[in-house]
Amino acid sequence: QKEVEQDPGPLSVPEGAIVSLNCTYSNSAFQYFMWYRQYSRKGPELLMYTYSSGNKEDGRFTAQVDKSSKYISLFIRDSQPSDSATYLCAMRKGSSGDKLTFGTGTRLAVRP
Amino acid sequence: DTAVSQTPKYLVTQMGNDKSIKCEQNLGHDTMYWYKQDSKKFLKIMFSYNNKELIINETVPNRFSPKSPDKAHLNLHINSLELGDSAVYFCASSPQGYTEAFFGQGTRLTVV
């Protein structure tokens, strides 16, 4: 069993839909949680970063962490075709220097 | 201004050859990483350096040797390339005390 599980998709939604992306993990030592967006043939870019449990909102994006359930989510409101990409969850135990453990990524397609 | 830059972007080479990938970051970060992304988009840590010192060395074959001449550069040398080495290799960096990593655009290595 992988440390971080993520449904690979693909997930196809119409423009304007609310998108929910999720990851589960098995290691309770993870404290820092991130979502990266990766466009085709590009490097991952950081979207959201959360420490421990709770919610964080940034524009159309909301990240949620539930450490008791070992479950994290990314919500995208009013999805746009430009949101079409692969979304990778990532987490780490300690601060800088510790490795990021990634999910396999969910491919999202937003239809105009 | 490119924050984390890798060269080359594409690399096609024959089995058995030796090749190097270079990475430079101009963000002033202390920590640099090499990640490998396979055909299923799974990103896995290979190495991590903090201020030129190796701190993470995952179970990577000895044919892979990282070198950090200074904290702004982390190069990856691969000896005796094999078909299974074909992947996208990402360099990343993060600042001391922070958890998020910033990625380069990747080097797509194809071994034929």
Side-chain angles (χ1 to χ4, degrees):
Chain A
Q1 185 194 1
K2 285 198 169 86
E3 273 191 297
V4 180
E5 299 277 359
Q6 186 176 5
D7 187 336
L11 181 61
S12 180
V13 301
E15 185 174 352
I18 296 175
V19 176
S20 171
L21 304 165
N22 311 295
C23 286
T24 58
Y25 61 96
S26 55
N27 193 333
S28 58
F30 287 129
Q31 297 185 66
Y32 302 88
F33 304 91
M34 281 141 274
W35 285 95
Y36 283 82
R37 179 176 60 197
Q38 186 176 21
Y39 291 114
S40 181
R41 296 188 176 258
K42 298 286 185 187
E45 55 175 322
L46 181 69
L47 264 183
M48 300 286 284
Y49 153 63
T50 315
Y51 170 66
S52 196
S53 284
N55 292 1
K56 187 172 184 178
E57 191 172 317
D58 184 1
R60 297 184 295 111
F61 298 91
T62 300
Q64 283 186 353
V65 174
D66 181 350
K67 289 189 74 178
S68 61
S69 304
K70 298 193 183 70
Y71 189 86
I72 70 170
S73 301
L74 177 71
F75 297 95
I76 308 173
R77 288 183 298 282
D78 187 26
S79 55
Q80 304 294 310
S82 58
D83 295 328
S84 299
T86 297
Y87 290 80
L88 301 141
C89 64
M91 44 200 81
R92 70 182 351 148
K93 298 167 199 169
S95 59
S96 177
D98 192 17
K99 66 179 182 180
L100 282 172
T101 300
F102 280 87
T104 48
T106 300
R107 213 169 81 210
L108 171 68
V110 181
R111 308 186 302 272
Chain B
D1 262 359
T2 306
V4 181
S5 60
Q6 299 177 226
T7 52
K9 195 171 177 183
Y10 298 96
L11 187 52
V12 180
T13 187
Q14 290 190 325
M15 271 197 316
N17 283 352
D18 303 338
K19 290 292 178 187
S20 290
I21 306 171
K22 295 187 175 182
C23 178
E24 176 182 6
Q25 53 96 2
N26 62 6
L27 298 166
H29 291 171
D30 294 300
T31 308
M32 295 185 72
Y33 312 82
W34 278 110
Y35 282 83
K36 179 181 179 180
Q37 189 171 46
D38 61 24
S39 56
K40 294 184 179 170
K41 294 282 197 177
F42 184 56
L43 263 170
K44 196 171 186 315
I45 184 77
M46 298 174 71
F47 303 102
S48 171
Y49 271 74
N50 190 51
N51 277 319
K52 302 195 301 175
E53 185 183 337
L54 179 67
I55 54 173
I56 293 176
N57 184 350
E58 291 288 292
T59 49
V60 178
N62 289 340
R63 300 180 295 103
F64 291 80
S65 51
K67 279 194 174 50
S68 182
D70 54 61
K71 76 172 195 176
H73 295 84
L74 180 61
N75 304 323
L76 183 66
H77 189 75
I78 316 169
N79 289 329
S80 304
L81 277 154
E82 300 177 357
L83 292 176
D85 297 332
S86 296
V88 183
Y89 292 84
F90 285 100
C91 177
S93 71
S94 64
Q96 189 72 26
Y98 289 84
T99 62
E100 54 271 44
F102 297 85
F103 285 79
Q105 81 278 20
T107 296
R108 187 171 293 272
L109 172 65
T110 304
V111 182
V112 297

